[in-house]
Amino acid sequence: MTIQELYLRQDALTDPGALAGAYDDLPETVSGLCEVVSGLIVHVAWAERYGIPPDIPMVRQTQPVADRLKLIQEAFAGSLTAARAPRSRTFGTCRDYALLLCSILRSRSIPARVRCGFATYIGDDIYHDHWICEYWSPGDKRWLQADAQLDAMQIDQLRIPFDSANLPREAFLTASQAWRLARSNAVAAGAFGHGATAGLWFLHVNVYRDLLSLANRQISAWDSWRDAAPASKVLKLDVLAELDRLADLVTTFENGSNQFAVLTNLPCWMRRHRAT
């Protein structure tokens, strides 16, 4: 099995289930798909800017795509291409946009996968915790990156100068790329994070989350990082060494190696090393 074939099949979270037919009338281009997906979800951190009152219940837990599609139809029945006012959309986070785009691309036999890392174009942080979707381009013979969260308002407010369906190489760093930059002191570790939580500890959380996502396990115990005790945020030398090895492993995998069987041992890693 090639690396591309590994990301052709739907998994437990990307499978659209009984609502797969909702994809039938979607645009052909990835740019068009990003535009549709961006209009189906409101990111909870952006809700106020869309005029959503703070007392409206907003779930930030990542939803399987099959459940997401049901919520979309409950909020506003009809084609996914129909324009929806913000209050007629569902709520989620960047990972939900990435999962939905990944699901649509896989339904069209386009290899796609969800990645966890850091964006340079969101928020006040230099490198902001973020999730995007990668898809294989036969013409380019490489993985391209798309951010389906960026709708017209966000593109305007964030002053995005690039195509959200084909991010520039420097716009988004995978967690392993960011880890290697921080460990080599090319970029300060404190530049990577989520709000007030930044540094090597948060970088190591995202390395594990990205590894699990590469194994089509896009939700994990590492999502409980907000509940981590202060004592657990001190990384010992053996943990640093393990993360160095894992970051190198991901780089080798992205360069075309099929020696990624270590992913099958991820559940064991999760029992030994937890975020909290």
Side-chain angles (χ1 to χ4, degrees), residues 16-247:
L19 291 177
Y23 296 164
D24 290 347
D25 65 343
L26 294 183
E28 293 297 322
T29 65
V30 178
S31 292
L33 294 176
C34 285
E35 185 175 351
V36 169
V37 172
S38 70
L40 298 172
I41 305 169
V42 170
H43 194 296
V44 294
W46 281 75
E48 184 177 353
R49 300 191 222 187
Y50 287 94
I52 306 296
D55 58 342
I56 297 293
M58 288 180 273
V59 177
R60 70 174 302 126
Q61 283 77 18
T62 300
Q63 304 287 321
V65 166
D67 293 343
R68 171 70 55 189
L69 291 171
K70 291 177 184 176
L71 291 173
I72 289 170
Q73 290 301 316
E74 289 172 3
F76 187 100
S79 170
L80 299 184
T81 63
R84 288 164 166 79
R87 295 197 190 194
S88 296
R89 303 176 193 175
T90 59
F91 295 103
T93 67
C94 50
R95 184 163 24 180
D96 293 293
Y97 296 91
L99 274 170
L100 184 52
L101 178 59
C102 180
S103 173
I104 296 169
L105 292 172
R106 288 180 178 180
S107 75
R108 297 183 172 184
S109 298
I110 298 174
R113 60 197 187 192
V114 176
R115 301 302 303 269
C116 176
F118 299 88
T120 63
Y121 50 89
I122 292 179
D124 297 327
D125 303 293
I126 299 175
Y127 297 101
H128 192 276
D129 169 45
H130 199 48
W131 296 70
I132 54 93
C133 177
E134 286 185 335
Y135 61 98
W136 181 254
S137 170
D140 296 282
K141 296 183 179 179
R142 65 183 181 93
W143 294 91
L144 303 183
Q145 296 177 333
D147 188 346
Q149 176 185 317
L150 302 176
D151 63 6
M153 187 182 84
Q154 292 187 34
I155 289 172
D156 177 62
Q157 293 196 8
L158 295 173
R159 299 180 181 179
I160 302 295
F162 48 78
D163 180 2
S164 62
N166 185 7
L167 304 182
R169 290 182 182 269
E170 69 278 5
F172 178 86
L173 299 177
T174 66
S176 290
Q177 289 173 327
W179 176 267
R180 289 160 65 92
L181 285 175
R183 287 287 280 161
S184 66
N185 293 318
V187 178
F192 299 94
H194 184 108
T197 305
L200 278 180
W201 179 81
F202 190 81
L203 275 162
H204 110 286
V205 166
N206 270 12
V207 169
Y208 275 110
R209 294 203 292 177
D210 188 49
L211 271 166
L212 285 161
S213 191
L214 285 172
N216 287 324
R217 300 183 181 108
Q218 301 92 348
I219 297 178
S220 74
W222 292 93
D223 296 321
S224 61
W225 61 267
R226 290 177 178 83
D227 302 322
S232 70
K233 297 183 180 182
V234 179
L235 300 183
K236 298 180 179 179
L237 290 177
D238 61 333
V239 175
L240 293 173
E242 178 171 280
L243 267 292
D244 289 340
R245 180 178 66 84
L246 294 180

Side-chain angles (χ1 to χ4, degrees), residues 1-9 106 109-113 135-138 141-143 216 253-257:
M1 176 184 294
T2 66
I3 292 176
Q4 289 75 31
E5 290 171 338
L6 188 63
Y7 300 108
L8 272 173
R9 296 190 298 268
R106 288 180 178 180
S109 298
I110 298 174
R113 60 197 187 192
Y135 61 98
W136 181 254
S137 170
K141 296 183 179 179
R142 65 183 181 93
W143 294 91
N216 287 324
F253 175 63
E254 291 176 328
N255 288 337
S257 171

